[in-house]
Amino acid sequence: EDYYDCPYDHLTVNGVKYCGTLGPAGVVPSDGTMTWVSDGSETFPGWKVCWAAQPPSLPPPLPPPSLPPLAPCPLGDVCTTGPCLITDGGSCATSPDFPNDYPVNEGCFLYGLPPVG
């Protein structure tokens, strides 16, 4: 969904929102996390994000205290809350129903992604 500042459906990496056909190509999540949300209006074709496999270094960072606690994510694995899927042997994530349209009012938090370094 193309719109300045991505106020509706978007993927957030390193505090930057991506939407429409703009993706985080070449961006490495500095904190090992990505967040995706869809609003309650329209649905659009889903997304797929992949990352380079790296050997595990440090456990994923703890979420801010205002969020409910996350399930433990084994070191070296990528985990998700919500309906997003981890695919391709753990090296990619997709929106629900990818490559078809994703549902409205959904969201997920991906964590344990290979961090910088």
Side-chain angles (χ1 to χ4, degrees):
E1 154 176 37
D2 292 314
Y3 193 82
Y4 179 76
D5 216 17
C6 304
Y8 305 112
D9 306 347
H10 58 271
L11 181 72
T12 304
V13 184
N14 298 337
V16 177
K17 292 180 182 179
Y18 298 90
C19 56
T21 57
L22 302 174
V27 174
V28 178
S30 59
D31 63 357
T33 68
M34 282 192 264
T35 305
W36 170 73
V37 296
S38 69
D39 68 2
S41 60
E42 300 177 60
T43 63
F44 293 91
W47 52 264
K48 181 176 185 177
V49 175
C50 297
W51 48 87
Q54 295 181 352
S57 54
L58 298 173
L62 295 175
S66 61
L67 296 175
L70 296 173
C73 187
L75 190 60
D77 285 354
V78 175
C79 298
T80 183
T81 64
C84 294
L85 300 173
I86 306 300
T87 65
D88 297 72
S91 62
C92 297
T94 66
S95 57
D97 301 327
F98 176 82
N100 301 310
D101 288 3
Y102 51 76
V104 297
N105 295 319
E106 287 289 0
C108 63
F109 180 71
L110 301 164
Y111 58 106
L113 293 160
V116 173

